[in-house]
């Protein structure tokens, strides 16, 4: 396998729809459930605010991008060159670890059919089982 072009941080348990939730979804879920300490909430809120200001939300460009019927299993991946975004995931990983929520870094040269792309990320519909995809490091 060649050098990874894409990076994703995702849970290790499938959601009811069959995909592995991403790091932001996992942390947002803990926050919605009121499970974060005051310090964790501050870190989570500051992180989300920073990403909102510095990172395009694909669903703001195309509200149907994550529609399960149109794009089953669609997930976002950082481009490996978006180091300034990837580096800031650490606070989220620490929050998840404190709540025993497993999250792994996955890398791929070909994670799926690209349905959205900008300079920092792609959103893909993953390949069917047995086709090219990510691998855990």
């Amino acid at each position: 396998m060649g050098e990874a072009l894409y990076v994703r941080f995702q849970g290790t348990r499938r959601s009811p729809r069959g995909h592995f939730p991403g790091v932001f979804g996992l942390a947002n879920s803990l926050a919605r459930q009121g499970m974060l300490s005051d310090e964790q909430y501050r870190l989570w809120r500051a992180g989300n605010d920073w990403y909102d200001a510095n990172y395009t939300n694909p669903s703001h460009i195309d509200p149907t991008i994550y529609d399960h019927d149109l794009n089953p299993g669609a997930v976002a991946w950082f481009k490996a060159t978006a180091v300034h975004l990837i580096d800031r995931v650490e606070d989220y990983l620490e929050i998840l670890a404190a709540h025993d929520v497993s999250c792994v870094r996955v890398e791929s040269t070909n994670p799926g059919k690209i349905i959205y792309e900008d300079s920092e990320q792609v959103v893909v519909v993953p390949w069917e089982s047995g086709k090219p995809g990510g691998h855990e490091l």
Side-chain angles (χ1 to χ4, degrees):
M1 180 173 206
E3 187 173 329
L5 301 176
Y6 306 103
V7 175
R8 178 170 166 77
F9 297 87
Q10 65 186 27
T12 59
R13 293 188 176 161
R14 290 187 185 275
S15 75
R17 290 198 175 211
H19 74 284
F20 294 98
V23 65
F24 301 120
L26 292 168
N28 291 349
S29 179
L30 290 174
R32 275 193 308 275
Q33 294 173 43
M35 300 188 66
L36 303 182
S37 69
D38 290 343
E39 176 63 13
Q40 290 169 341
Y41 186 89
R42 185 190 68 70
L43 285 171
W44 167 80
R45 181 74 268 152
N48 279 8
D49 290 346
W50 185 89
Y51 277 106
D52 287 345
N54 293 283
Y55 184 57
T56 302
N57 182 334
S59 61
H60 292 169
I61 305 298
D62 178 357
T64 67
I65 198 81
Y66 293 111
D67 181 284
H68 184 67
D69 292 326
L70 294 174
N71 299 309
V75 293
W77 289 70
F78 291 112
K79 289 185 175 179
T81 55
V83 175
H84 66 292
L85 299 174
I86 295 167
D87 286 348
R88 295 187 70 107
V89 170
E90 188 61 35
D91 285 341
Y92 291 88
L93 297 176
E94 289 176 10
I95 291 169
L96 294 175
H99 291 272
D100 295 322
V101 176
S102 295
C103 190
V104 295
R105 178 183 172 126
V106 180
E107 297 184 353
S108 178
T109 58
N110 189 7
K113 177 184 174 193
I114 295 174
I115 57 172
Y116 170 86
E117 182 171 10
D118 63 35
S119 63
E120 299 168 322
Q121 68 185 321
V122 295
V123 176
V124 305
V125 174
W127 300 120
E128 294 177 28
S129 183
K131 292 200 177 176
H135 67 280
E136 184 179 328
L137 294 180

mmCIF file of all heavy atoms in Angstrom, residues 9 24 50-51 54-56 78-79 81-90 92 118-121:
data_model
loop_
_atom_site.group_PDB
_atom_site.id
_atom_site.type_symbol
_atom_site.label_atom_id
_atom_site.label_comp_id
_atom_site.label_asym_id
_atom_site.label_seq_id
_atom_site.Cartn_x
_atom_site.Cartn_y
_atom_site.Cartn_z
ATOM 1 N N PHE A 9 -10.268 9.618 12.188
ATOM 2 C CA PHE A 9 -10.322 9.154 13.567
ATOM 3 C C PHE A 9 -11.750 8.681 13.799
ATOM 4 O O PHE A 9 -12.692 9.454 13.627
ATOM 5 C CB PHE A 9 -9.960 10.279 14.537
ATOM 6 C CG PHE A 9 -8.554 10.779 14.375
ATOM 7 C CD1 PHE A 9 -8.254 11.771 13.461
ATOM 8 C CD2 PHE A 9 -7.523 10.224 15.123
ATOM 9 C CE1 PHE A 9 -6.955 12.228 13.293
ATOM 10 C CE2 PHE A 9 -6.210 10.676 14.961
ATOM 11 C CZ PHE A 9 -5.937 11.678 14.046
ATOM 12 N N PHE A 24 -15.519 13.542 15.962
ATOM 13 C CA PHE A 24 -16.357 14.683 16.325
ATOM 14 C C PHE A 24 -17.743 14.219 16.746
ATOM 15 O O PHE A 24 -18.295 14.700 17.737
ATOM 16 C CB PHE A 24 -16.438 15.691 15.177
ATOM 17 C CG PHE A 24 -15.093 16.224 14.767
ATOM 18 C CD1 PHE A 24 -14.627 16.035 13.483
ATOM 19 C CD2 PHE A 24 -14.287 16.908 15.659
ATOM 20 C CE1 PHE A 24 -13.384 16.508 13.097
ATOM 21 C CE2 PHE A 24 -13.036 17.382 15.293
ATOM 22 C CZ PHE A 24 -12.588 17.186 14.001
ATOM 23 N N TRP A 50 -13.317 26.360 17.119
ATOM 24 C CA TRP A 50 -12.151 26.544 16.264
ATOM 25 C C TRP A 50 -12.366 25.854 14.916
ATOM 26 O O TRP A 50 -12.114 26.441 13.869
ATOM 27 C CB TRP A 50 -10.887 26.004 16.936
ATOM 28 C CG TRP A 50 -9.666 26.301 16.132
ATOM 29 C CD1 TRP A 50 -8.885 27.428 16.213
ATOM 30 C CD2 TRP A 50 -9.089 25.486 15.092
ATOM 31 N NE1 TRP A 50 -7.872 27.357 15.288
ATOM 32 C CE2 TRP A 50 -7.963 26.180 14.582
ATOM 33 C CE3 TRP A 50 -9.415 24.253 14.552
ATOM 34 C CZ2 TRP A 50 -7.173 25.675 13.564
ATOM 35 C CZ3 TRP A 50 -8.629 23.748 13.533
ATOM 36 C CH2 TRP A 50 -7.522 24.458 13.052
ATOM 37 N N TYR A 51 -12.822 24.611 14.945
ATOM 38 C CA TYR A 51 -13.060 23.900 13.682
ATOM 39 C C TYR A 51 -14.140 24.594 12.863
ATOM 40 O O TYR A 51 -14.020 24.708 11.638
ATOM 41 C CB TYR A 51 -13.436 22.434 13.928
ATOM 42 C CG TYR A 51 -12.235 21.539 14.145
ATOM 43 C CD1 TYR A 51 -11.919 21.058 15.402
ATOM 44 C CD2 TYR A 51 -11.418 21.172 13.085
ATOM 45 C CE1 TYR A 51 -10.822 20.236 15.604
ATOM 46 C CE2 TYR A 51 -10.320 20.351 13.262
ATOM 47 C CZ TYR A 51 -10.023 19.890 14.529
ATOM 48 O OH TYR A 51 -8.922 19.079 14.709
ATOM 49 N N ASN A 54 -12.454 27.395 11.092
ATOM 50 C CA ASN A 54 -11.277 27.112 10.272
ATOM 51 C C ASN A 54 -11.405 25.924 9.328
ATOM 52 O O ASN A 54 -10.425 25.554 8.672
ATOM 53 C CB ASN A 54 -10.061 26.872 11.190
ATOM 54 C CG ASN A 54 -9.663 28.114 11.925
ATOM 55 O OD1 ASN A 54 -9.037 29.000 11.363
ATOM 56 N ND2 ASN A 54 -10.065 28.219 13.186
ATOM 57 N N TYR A 55 -12.584 25.337 9.253
ATOM 58 C CA TYR A 55 -12.751 24.069 8.546
ATOM 59 C C TYR A 55 -14.139 24.063 7.934
ATOM 60 O O TYR A 55 -15.126 24.316 8.616
ATOM 61 C CB TYR A 55 -12.580 22.969 9.595
ATOM 62 C CG TYR A 55 -12.609 21.534 9.167
ATOM 63 C CD1 TYR A 55 -11.739 21.032 8.217
ATOM 64 C CD2 TYR A 55 -13.477 20.643 9.792
ATOM 65 C CE1 TYR A 55 -11.738 19.680 7.887
ATOM 66 C CE2 TYR A 55 -13.475 19.291 9.463
ATOM 67 C CZ TYR A 55 -12.602 18.817 8.515
ATOM 68 O OH TYR A 55 -12.595 17.494 8.194
ATOM 69 N N THR A 56 -14.230 23.774 6.658
ATOM 70 C CA THR A 56 -15.514 23.749 5.981
ATOM 71 C C THR A 56 -16.338 22.548 6.436
ATOM 72 O O THR A 56 -15.846 21.424 6.450
ATOM 73 C CB THR A 56 -15.317 23.677 4.451
ATOM 74 O OG1 THR A 56 -14.549 24.801 4.047
ATOM 75 C CG2 THR A 56 -16.643 23.664 3.724
ATOM 76 N N PHE A 78 -9.872 13.500 6.702
ATOM 77 C CA PHE A 78 -8.917 14.574 6.485
ATOM 78 C C PHE A 78 -7.985 14.183 5.357
ATOM 79 O O PHE A 78 -7.631 12.998 5.224
ATOM 80 C CB PHE A 78 -8.020 14.793 7.718
ATOM 81 C CG PHE A 78 -8.703 15.352 8.931
ATOM 82 C CD1 PHE A 78 -8.844 14.569 10.061
ATOM 83 C CD2 PHE A 78 -9.156 16.660 8.957
ATOM 84 C CE1 PHE A 78 -9.435 15.077 11.206
ATOM 85 C CE2 PHE A 78 -9.746 17.175 10.092
ATOM 86 C CZ PHE A 78 -9.888 16.379 11.224
ATOM 87 N N LYS A 79 -7.541 15.137 4.575
ATOM 88 C CA LYS A 79 -6.402 14.873 3.696
ATOM 89 C C LYS A 79 -5.167 14.853 4.592
ATOM 90 O O LYS A 79 -5.054 15.633 5.545
ATOM 91 C CB LYS A 79 -6.288 15.966 2.629
ATOM 92 C CG LYS A 79 -7.404 15.874 1.599
ATOM 93 C CD LYS A 79 -7.216 16.861 0.488
ATOM 94 C CE LYS A 79 -8.285 16.654 -0.581
ATOM 95 N NZ LYS A 79 -8.144 17.631 -1.676
ATOM 96 N N THR A 81 -2.403 15.970 4.261
ATOM 97 C CA THR A 81 -1.684 17.240 4.240
ATOM 98 C C THR A 81 -2.304 18.292 5.164
ATOM 99 O O THR A 81 -1.684 19.321 5.412
ATOM 100 C CB THR A 81 -1.654 17.800 2.801
ATOM 101 O OG1 THR A 81 -3.003 17.893 2.321
ATOM 102 C CG2 THR A 81 -0.819 16.916 1.893
ATOM 103 N N ALA A 82 -3.473 18.037 5.714
ATOM 104 C CA ALA A 82 -4.158 18.991 6.586
ATOM 105 C C ALA A 82 -3.686 18.833 8.029
ATOM 106 O O ALA A 82 -4.476 18.688 8.966
ATOM 107 C CB ALA A 82 -5.665 18.821 6.477
ATOM 108 N N VAL A 83 -2.381 18.878 8.211
ATOM 109 C CA VAL A 83 -1.761 18.616 9.511
ATOM 110 C C VAL A 83 -2.287 19.574 10.583
ATOM 111 O O VAL A 83 -2.498 19.169 11.730
ATOM 112 C CB VAL A 83 -0.219 18.698 9.393
ATOM 113 C CG1 VAL A 83 0.456 18.548 10.742
ATOM 114 C CG2 VAL A 83 0.276 17.649 8.412
ATOM 115 N N HIS A 84 -2.531 20.827 10.225
ATOM 116 C CA HIS A 84 -3.021 21.805 11.202
ATOM 117 C C HIS A 84 -4.390 21.411 11.748
ATOM 118 O O HIS A 84 -4.748 21.783 12.868
ATOM 119 C CB HIS A 84 -3.061 23.206 10.590
ATOM 120 C CG HIS A 84 -4.050 23.366 9.483
ATOM 121 N ND1 HIS A 84 -3.915 22.741 8.255
ATOM 122 C CD2 HIS A 84 -5.199 24.071 9.419
ATOM 123 C CE1 HIS A 84 -4.946 23.057 7.482
ATOM 124 N NE2 HIS A 84 -5.739 23.864 8.166
ATOM 125 N N LEU A 85 -5.161 20.651 11.004
ATOM 126 C CA LEU A 85 -6.458 20.160 11.481
ATOM 127 C C LEU A 85 -6.309 18.852 12.248
ATOM 128 O O LEU A 85 -6.934 18.655 13.294
ATOM 129 C CB LEU A 85 -7.415 19.975 10.300
ATOM 130 C CG LEU A 85 -7.733 21.235 9.495
ATOM 131 C CD1 LEU A 85 -8.566 20.885 8.275
ATOM 132 C CD2 LEU A 85 -8.436 22.271 10.355
ATOM 133 N N ILE A 86 -5.483 17.978 11.743
ATOM 134 C CA ILE A 86 -5.268 16.674 12.373
ATOM 135 C C ILE A 86 -4.654 16.838 13.760
ATOM 136 O O ILE A 86 -5.065 16.170 14.718
ATOM 137 C CB ILE A 86 -4.389 15.779 11.474
ATOM 138 C CG1 ILE A 86 -5.130 15.465 10.170
ATOM 139 C CG2 ILE A 86 -3.980 14.505 12.198
ATOM 140 C CD1 ILE A 86 -4.262 14.854 9.084
ATOM 141 N N ASP A 87 -3.701 17.746 13.898
ATOM 142 C CA ASP A 87 -3.029 17.949 15.180
ATOM 143 C C ASP A 87 -3.985 18.368 16.293
ATOM 144 O O ASP A 87 -3.758 18.064 17.459
ATOM 145 C CB ASP A 87 -1.913 18.999 15.053
ATOM 146 C CG ASP A 87 -0.692 18.477 14.331
ATOM 147 O OD1 ASP A 87 -0.593 17.246 14.108
ATOM 148 O OD2 ASP A 87 0.168 19.307 13.964
ATOM 149 N N ARG A 88 -5.051 19.052 15.942
ATOM 150 C CA ARG A 88 -5.988 19.556 16.948
ATOM 151 C C ARG A 88 -6.999 18.509 17.411
ATOM 152 O O ARG A 88 -7.822 18.783 18.286
ATOM 153 C CB ARG A 88 -6.686 20.785 16.420
ATOM 154 C CG ARG A 88 -5.700 21.942 16.208
ATOM 155 C CD ARG A 88 -6.425 23.199 15.846
ATOM 156 N NE ARG A 88 -7.165 23.706 16.976
ATOM 157 C CZ ARG A 88 -6.824 24.784 17.682
ATOM 158 N NH1 ARG A 88 -5.742 25.465 17.373
ATOM 159 N NH2 ARG A 88 -7.583 25.191 18.677
ATOM 160 N N VAL A 89 -6.941 17.301 16.881
ATOM 161 C CA VAL A 89 -7.859 16.240 17.281
ATOM 162 C C VAL A 89 -7.499 15.704 18.672
ATOM 163 O O VAL A 89 -8.336 15.119 19.363
ATOM 164 C CB VAL A 89 -7.853 15.107 16.217
ATOM 165 C CG1 VAL A 89 -8.602 13.879 16.703
ATOM 166 C CG2 VAL A 89 -8.452 15.613 14.917
ATOM 167 N N GLU A 90 -6.287 15.929 19.113
ATOM 168 C CA GLU A 90 -5.792 15.348 20.372
ATOM 169 C C GLU A 90 -6.707 15.620 21.562
ATOM 170 O O GLU A 90 -6.967 14.721 22.373
ATOM 171 C CB GLU A 90 -4.379 15.855 20.669
ATOM 172 C CG GLU A 90 -3.712 15.160 21.831
ATOM 173 C CD GLU A 90 -3.533 13.659 21.611
ATOM 174 O OE1 GLU A 90 -3.280 13.231 20.482
ATOM 175 O OE2 GLU A 90 -3.661 12.900 22.600
ATOM 176 N N TYR A 92 -9.896 16.013 21.623
ATOM 177 C CA TYR A 92 -11.059 15.137 21.487
ATOM 178 C C TYR A 92 -10.709 13.713 21.895
ATOM 179 O O TYR A 92 -11.494 13.046 22.581
ATOM 180 C CB TYR A 92 -11.577 15.144 20.038
ATOM 181 C CG TYR A 92 -12.191 16.447 19.616
ATOM 182 C CD1 TYR A 92 -11.418 17.466 19.071
ATOM 183 C CD2 TYR A 92 -13.562 16.659 19.729
ATOM 184 C CE1 TYR A 92 -11.982 18.657 18.669
ATOM 185 C CE2 TYR A 92 -14.138 17.854 19.317
ATOM 186 C CZ TYR A 92 -13.343 18.850 18.790
ATOM 187 O OH TYR A 92 -13.915 20.039 18.401
ATOM 188 N N ASP A 118 -12.600 19.211 -0.736
ATOM 189 C CA ASP A 118 -12.048 20.555 -0.700
ATOM 190 C C ASP A 118 -10.555 20.411 -0.406
ATOM 191 O O ASP A 118 -10.018 19.300 -0.462
ATOM 192 C CB ASP A 118 -12.800 21.474 0.280
ATOM 193 C CG ASP A 118 -12.732 21.028 1.743
ATOM 194 O OD1 ASP A 118 -11.695 20.481 2.178
ATOM 195 O OD2 ASP A 118 -13.722 21.248 2.469
ATOM 196 N N SER A 119 -9.892 21.487 -0.102
ATOM 197 C CA SER A 119 -8.435 21.440 0.053
ATOM 198 C C SER A 119 -7.980 20.665 1.284
ATOM 199 O O SER A 119 -6.812 20.287 1.379
ATOM 200 C CB SER A 119 -7.861 22.851 0.092
ATOM 201 O OG SER A 119 -8.359 23.558 1.216
ATOM 202 N N GLU A 120 -8.892 20.384 2.236
ATOM 203 C CA GLU A 120 -8.490 19.762 3.490
ATOM 204 C C GLU A 120 -9.138 18.412 3.781
ATOM 205 O O GLU A 120 -8.738 17.717 4.694
ATOM 206 C CB GLU A 120 -8.802 20.719 4.643
ATOM 207 C CG GLU A 120 -8.019 22.013 4.490
ATOM 208 C CD GLU A 120 -8.488 23.111 5.407
ATOM 209 O OE1 GLU A 120 -9.716 23.229 5.623
ATOM 210 O OE2 GLU A 120 -7.635 23.836 5.917
ATOM 211 N N GLN A 121 -10.147 18.045 3.016
ATOM 212 C CA GLN A 121 -10.905 16.842 3.350
ATOM 213 C C GLN A 121 -11.633 16.278 2.142
ATOM 214 O O GLN A 121 -11.769 16.947 1.117
ATOM 215 C CB GLN A 121 -11.934 17.155 4.432
ATOM 216 C CG GLN A 121 -13.030 18.081 3.919
ATOM 217 C CD GLN A 121 -14.006 18.515 4.975
ATOM 218 O OE1 GLN A 121 -14.375 17.725 5.827
ATOM 219 N NE2 GLN A 121 -14.422 19.758 4.923
#
